[in-house]
Amino acid sequence: MTGLPLSGVRVVDLTRVLSGPFCAMLLGDLGAEVIKIETPGGDPVRKQGHVEQGLSWYFAGFNRNKKSVELDLRAPEGIEVLERLLADADILTENFRPGILDRMGLTEARLHEINPNLIVVSVNGYGSTGPYADRPAFDFIAQAMSGYMATNGTSETGPLRTAPPITDLVAGLYAALGAVAALRGRENGGPAQRVEASMMMSMMSMLAYLSSGALATGRDPVPSGNDHPIASPYGLFRASDGQIAVAPSNDTFVRRFLTEVGLEHLLSDPRFVDNESRLRHRAELNALIDAAMANGTQDEWIDRLNRAGVPSGRVQSMTEALADPQVAAQEMVLRVPHEGHGEVGMTGFPIKLSETPLHVRHPAPDLGADGIATLRAAGLSQQQIDALIEKGVLGAGKRAEHT
């Protein structure tokens, strides 16, 4: 088996919480060596979410395939160590507010002086230019300001957030994609360049027919809850023992769906003859479908509709989804041994590579676990390392490494 696609790529990771760590984890999953620089006390996510045997499973799920160096970047000696690591790196990832790196002395000019081949990947809230560039950002605010939150819910509920921190994750995905593109460009003889992905702008790019409709008409989309904004019938329908999700995305699938539930004749009714008519009379059509489906169970309808080529499925709880046989077949739930913390469950790899499948090379590190070894590899002497530990600049991590 050949190496993973990013084998040999070194990432110095200054990120914390979620958007940046997700980006860095993706690069690590693809084979990069990721050196996670943590300020004293560590990434705040180490103490968030479900903590089992002293380990946050939230942290473990987004920081696998990384090394941890606990380094005080407020101390000049800490910046000196960081610069030494950057000299041999391919990528620097950071998710500070714009301008923070400059205040640390790591201006664009200084970074170029340290390593002219360094690719800098920045994840932030709003972008590095414009009137909001200096604002603090959080997923909830980015969901609100991107227009995304206003499209969720109904006119009765008002705007609703999405439960997962979606803007963090989308920005992290874009940043990782941008990092890979910049690496490829550099390999082709281009310059090392800066990559930026912001939470608000990343989310806006995902609004699909919602944003295109607003651009075309100048009108806001009407929030439609579980119904589709531009297709009907489409949404949750009630079987005898509960709801199922059905997604007939065009007239072909609508005909198949209505045929299966015994309502094909409705397609000749002026209220339902085409999609525009069905959107205007959505509530009436949904009520008729619910009445027709009341004579079958969820399992019966899901089987019938899928055999007919109509996408449908159960609304599963989180634990049901994690236990789904399709999820198991795709190896999307992993059980990863963490020394001293037991076995940790986490989601797997949605990217499937046929010849170099992704895997957990090492679990999320304990705070500072790799500091001594990393600095040794960077050429620092044991005396220099001891001095940094004595000054509190370097976390000792696992003292077993300190021989």
Side-chain angles (χ1 to χ4, degrees):
M1 180 183 295
T2 58
L4 290 165
L6 296 187
S7 293
V9 172
R10 176 171 293 172
V11 178
V12 173
D13 177 29
L14 299 182
T15 68
R16 68 271 184 242
V17 188
L18 184 55
S19 58
F22 184 46
C23 166
M25 185 195 75
L26 293 172
L27 299 176
D29 287 349
L30 289 167
E33 177 192 14
V34 178
I35 301 170
K36 182 179 177 72
I37 307 296
E38 300 188 66
T39 53
D43 189 322
V45 173
R46 286 186 177 274
K47 299 176 182 178
Q48 294 179 358
H50 181 82
V51 177
E52 188 74 28
Q53 298 187 47
L55 177 68
S56 162
W57 283 34
Y58 176 23
F59 179 84
F62 286 93
N63 288 279
R64 64 193 179 205
N65 292 328
K66 301 179 185 179
K67 300 175 180 178
S68 173
V69 176
E70 187 180 14
L71 192 63
D72 185 358
L73 297 179
R74 294 182 183 274
E77 298 93 337
I79 294 295
E80 290 175 9
V81 171
L82 175 60
E83 290 184 347
R84 192 152 183 169
L85 296 174
L86 290 174
D88 292 323
D90 295 286
I91 297 172
L92 166 64
T93 53
E94 61 93 9
N95 62 345
F96 300 120
R97 271 192 280 172
I100 297 296
L101 275 184
D102 288 356
R103 289 179 223 166
M104 295 167 62
L106 298 173
T107 62
E108 185 175 341
R110 177 57 183 153
L111 290 172
H112 184 79
E113 181 182 355
I114 295 167
N115 182 349
N117 293 315
L118 184 67
I119 293 166
V120 179
V121 178
S122 300
V123 189
N124 53 45
Y126 306 102
S128 59
T129 60
Y132 306 152
D134 292 332
R135 287 187 181 183
F138 201 74
D139 168 70
F140 184 62
I141 309 305
Q143 286 198 34
M145 294 194 63
S146 64
Y148 174 72
M149 189 184 294
T151 68
N152 295 331
T154 66
S155 56
E156 288 76 26
T157 66
L160 291 176
R161 70 181 288 270
T162 295
I166 188 70
T167 68
D168 281 304
L169 299 173
V170 173
L173 276 170
Y174 274 136
L177 177 61
V180 172
L183 278 171
R184 180 61 173 159
R186 196 185 68 180
E187 289 173 358
N188 286 339
Q193 57 186 307
R194 185 170 182 270
V195 175
E196 180 178 280
S198 74
M199 295 157 62
M200 180 179 173
M201 307 312 153
S202 293
M203 196 65 242
M204 289 189 74
S205 76
M206 294 285 177
L207 294 180
Y209 43 77
L210 298 167
S211 57
S212 63
L215 288 168
T217 66
R219 296 191 299 271
D220 289 323
V222 176
S224 54
N226 289 318
D227 293 321
H228 198 291
I230 61 173
S232 175
Y234 192 116
L236 295 182
F237 298 97
R238 187 167 299 280
S240 62
D241 56 349
Q243 292 179 311
I244 64 171
V246 187
S249 59
N250 58 42
D251 286 344
T252 298
F253 292 101
V254 168
R255 181 171 292 280
R256 291 177 184 177
F257 177 37
L258 294 181
T259 298
E260 284 299 315
V261 300
L263 296 176
E264 185 180 13
H265 62 279
L266 292 181
L267 292 174
S268 59
D269 187 313
R271 296 172 298 170
F272 312 124
V273 68
D274 56 28
N275 188 62
E276 291 302 315
S277 301
R278 294 192 293 269
L279 285 170
R280 289 194 300 271
H281 299 280
R282 190 201 308 266
E284 299 164 69
L285 179 56
N286 287 358
L288 290 169
I289 293 171
D290 280 345
M293 295 182 68
N295 62 2
T297 65
Q298 290 175 311
D299 288 343
E300 289 169 347
W301 282 119
I302 290 169
D303 179 62
R304 280 184 60 179
L305 292 174
N306 279 295
R307 279 193 287 107
V310 179
S312 63
R314 187 189 303 272
V315 180
Q316 300 190 124
S317 69
M318 182 62 67
T319 53
E320 287 173 333
L322 292 170
D324 190 286
Q326 183 65 24
V327 172
Q330 288 284 300
E331 299 180 330
M332 274 304 294
V333 173
L334 306 178
R335 297 286 175 179
V336 178
H338 279 58
E339 184 179 353
H341 302 290
E343 197 174 62
V344 175
M346 65 183 65
T347 52
F349 305 98
I351 298 173
K352 309 297 184 185
L353 300 181
S354 63
E355 303 306 315
T356 55
L358 308 187
H359 57 284
V360 178
R361 304 189 306 285
H362 40 86
D366 289 337
L367 178 61
D370 307 286
I372 295 170
T374 299
L375 268 58
R376 281 180 183 162
L380 274 71
S381 69
Q382 190 60 58
Q383 185 178 7
Q384 290 172 309
I385 293 172
D386 287 341
L388 291 169
I389 293 173
E390 285 298 317
K391 290 182 179 180
V393 175
L394 177 69
K398 292 185 178 179
R399 293 304 299 236
E401 294 182 4
H402 186 199
T403 58

